[in-house]
Amino acid sequence: MPTSGTQSTGDAGESIHREYVMDVRIVAADDGPGERRYRFEAPHHRGETFDDPETAELYADVYFDVNGFQEEGTGERGVPPVMYQAGRDTIAAYLYTREGVDVEWLGSFFAHRPEKVERMIDNVRKRAESIRRGAAERGSA
């Protein structure tokens, strides 16, 4: 189960936005006057930074949905190979976290209406929540 709060990370201008099981978290960092960025952190993951917390949280959902992934070596526009095994909804959710991608673009890419794309993304969120809940129940801190 994710927890939210303003717990400090020890670095000036940073706080934990959301903390998940298995040492996964999203850190909110000041990126200039009135600007915040949200950095996804997980063990053995280089970390990604996002402009808004919702996108960072969806990225975390994708991470849990595929049991973790690495982006190194996938290139600027590539998709980590593990996504292909996870299915179209996971690929759609991952692509949605990329800059400049919206549900209309995804709908065109997958030949679906935007409402269907939103359901695909929601499926990933639900699976990720179930995975985190199961990990917490098993005591995977």
Side-chain angles (χ1 to χ4, degrees):
M1 304 285 266
T3 58
S4 297
T6 57
Q7 177 182 355
S8 173
T9 64
D11 291 334
E14 289 191 353
S15 61
I16 297 174
H17 168 74
R18 181 148 292 164
E19 197 160 24
Y20 300 95
V21 296
M22 301 167 62
D23 296 324
V24 174
R25 66 185 185 169
I26 297 171
V27 175
D30 293 332
D31 197 31
E35 294 182 35
R36 283 190 85 75
R37 302 266 298 160
Y38 298 85
R39 185 178 64 246
F40 172 85
E41 296 180 351
H44 313 293
H45 191 283
R46 72 175 183 198
E48 286 290 316
T49 305
F50 303 92
D51 291 333
D52 63 88
E54 293 81 18
T55 304
E57 291 166 9
L58 179 58
Y59 188 90
D61 290 341
V62 171
Y63 183 85
F64 280 102
D65 190 37
V66 297
N67 197 28
F69 62 90
Q70 290 288 333
E71 287 190 281
E72 290 183 65
T74 60
E76 188 71 24
R77 295 172 42 167
V79 175
V82 70
M83 301 293 168
Y84 294 104
Q85 293 177 333
R88 294 170 64 94
D89 54 351
T90 303
I91 294 169
Y94 174 78
L95 290 173
Y96 192 60
T97 68
R98 307 291 83 196
E99 194 169 319
V101 175
D102 59 20
V103 291
E104 287 78 20
W105 184 91
L106 284 170
S108 175
F109 184 79
F110 285 105
H112 293 310
R113 293 188 175 281
E115 299 81 22
K116 167 83 173 174
V117 171
E118 289 170 353
R119 284 193 304 273
M120 292 167 73
I121 292 168
D122 193 48
N123 288 339
V124 172
R125 287 185 169 124
K126 288 176 183 174
R127 279 198 309 270
E129 181 59 34
S130 176
I131 290 164
R132 289 189 293 262
R133 189 173 30 257
E137 289 170 0
R138 287 188 304 279
S140 299

